[in-house]
Amino acid sequence: MSSGARLLVLGKQGAGKGTQAVRIAGHYGVPHISTGDIFRAAAADGTPFGLRANEFMTRGELVPDDVVIGVVAERLAKDDAVNDGFVLDGFPRTKVQAEELQRLLGPGGLDAAVDIDVPTEVVIERISGRRVCATCGTPYHVSSPPESNWTCDKDGGEVVQREDDTPEAVTKRLELYEEATRPLLDFYEGLGLLVTVDGVGDPDEVFDRVLDGIETARQVQTR
Ligand code: AP5
Ligand code: MG
Ligand code: ZN
């Protein structure tokens, strides 16, 4: 395990952000911070905040920027993220969020923004077969289920279909990606931080490409 990294993962719904972010976090020994997982956990706990976020999520809409930014700022201020770094999954998703993150981290505060590039037909197939751990959010697929009886390999949690993986919500989510999130590729390209990785292929193969991309970006920056 190499230690420390400050990274974020971009990509369409179903591109494999969660799948790769878990591996990246393990490799660099940093926390995996998924805004979607944070909101789903809060919804499952039934907190007023979680229930409000869940209304946006089940419709496939974005949770308002100020709410998301507050959650991320709080999480990034914890010791593990301050000392070791982080891999952000699903944040930022709008220009306002990206700009706020730059302000929060300051110049040189990110090593790379990894875009996992996957065609829309492929993400639709992936999402329709996706199942996730209700406890920790680890993604599985009907074609690669957990080892035993739809319980999570990591923590034994129940593995279920996500509420926002309906055809209507998925269509809405993909539209919002094009409108609000795709422009961030240019934003990070402009900062010299964008690493684009072909996300089609076996998850381990994709992970090798992701690591290559991150390491190349880090070398360029230390030069
Ligand atoms: P979030 O939970 O982030 O969902 P998302 O962006 O829609 O992305 P997904 O989790 O659907 O896809 P993924 O890229 O992680 O793919 P995965 O690895 O699971 O956000 C949910 C909602 O929360 C949003 O809609 C919004 O309402 C709210 N929200 C969150 N963040 C927000 C923000 N910043 N601002 C505002 N609102 C926010 O993979 C998908 C499937 O494919 C899995 O089944 C997996 O096993 C499989 N798979 C993965 N890789 C491969 C591969 N290489 N080959 C074959 N299958 C693969
Ligand atoms: Mg995800
Ligand atoms: Zn789990």
Side-chain angles (χ1 to χ4, degrees):
M1 185 177 87
S2 336
S3 80
R6 292 146 79 88
L7 303 164
L8 59 87
V9 183
L10 297 163
K12 272 177 208 142
Q13 291 63 22
K17 297 184 293 296
T19 302
Q20 296 302 326
V22 168
R23 289 169 161 80
I24 297 169
H27 181 84
Y28 290 104
V30 296
H32 167 209
I33 303 178
S34 157
T35 40
D37 287 351
I38 292 172
F39 294 138
R40 278 185 289 277
D45 287 346
T47 63
F49 158 77
L51 296 177
R52 179 154 177 261
N54 202 42
E55 285 176 26
F56 293 96
M57 293 173 79
T58 46
R59 290 196 297 262
E61 291 170 10
L62 292 174
V63 174
D65 283 334
D66 55 333
V67 176
V68 191
I69 289 165
V71 163
V72 172
E74 199 176 300
R75 182 61 189 87
L76 288 177
K78 294 203 170 146
D79 286 349
D80 56 351
V82 172
N83 297 330
D84 306 327
F86 49 80
V87 52
L88 285 166
D89 160 10
F91 180 94
R93 225 178 263 245
T94 64
K95 192 83 185 294
V96 172
Q97 293 177 16
E99 283 165 352
E100 192 54 37
L101 182 66
Q102 282 305 108
R103 243 192 306 280
L104 223 56
L105 298 176
L110 265 184
D111 299 341
V114 181
D115 175 41
I116 305 180
D117 188 28
V118 177
T120 301
E121 323 76 90
V122 178
V123 301
I124 290 174
E125 192 284 319
R126 286 185 187 176
I127 292 177
S128 64
R130 169 167 53 193
R131 301 293 182 270
V132 299
C133 172
T135 310
C136 72
T138 296
Y140 297 91
H141 193 271
V142 287
S143 64
S144 59
E147 277 172 20
S148 89
N149 201 26
W150 295 103
T151 53
C152 178
D153 293 338
K154 290 190 188 149
D155 57 15
E158 194 190 352
V159 174
V160 298
Q161 186 156 28
R162 259 170 53 173
E163 265 184 60
D164 60 345
D165 281 350
T166 59
E168 299 75 25
V170 170
T171 305
K172 178 80 197 164
R173 283 154 62 200
L174 286 167
E175 275 169 23
L176 279 172
Y177 171 83
E178 294 301 329
E179 199 179 300
T181 310
R182 186 184 288 283
L184 299 187
L185 301 183
D186 285 341
F187 179 85
Y188 286 111
E189 175 86 76
L191 292 171
L193 292 172
L194 186 68
V195 170
T196 303
V197 172
D198 174 7
V200 179
D202 179 84
D204 291 333
E205 267 169 49
V206 175
F207 182 54
D208 289 341
R209 292 177 207 146
V210 167
L211 282 189
D212 271 356
I214 293 171
E215 287 308 317
T216 306
R218 301 218 297 180
Q219 278 157 21
V220 170
Q221 281 166 48
T222 52
R223 253 193 253 141

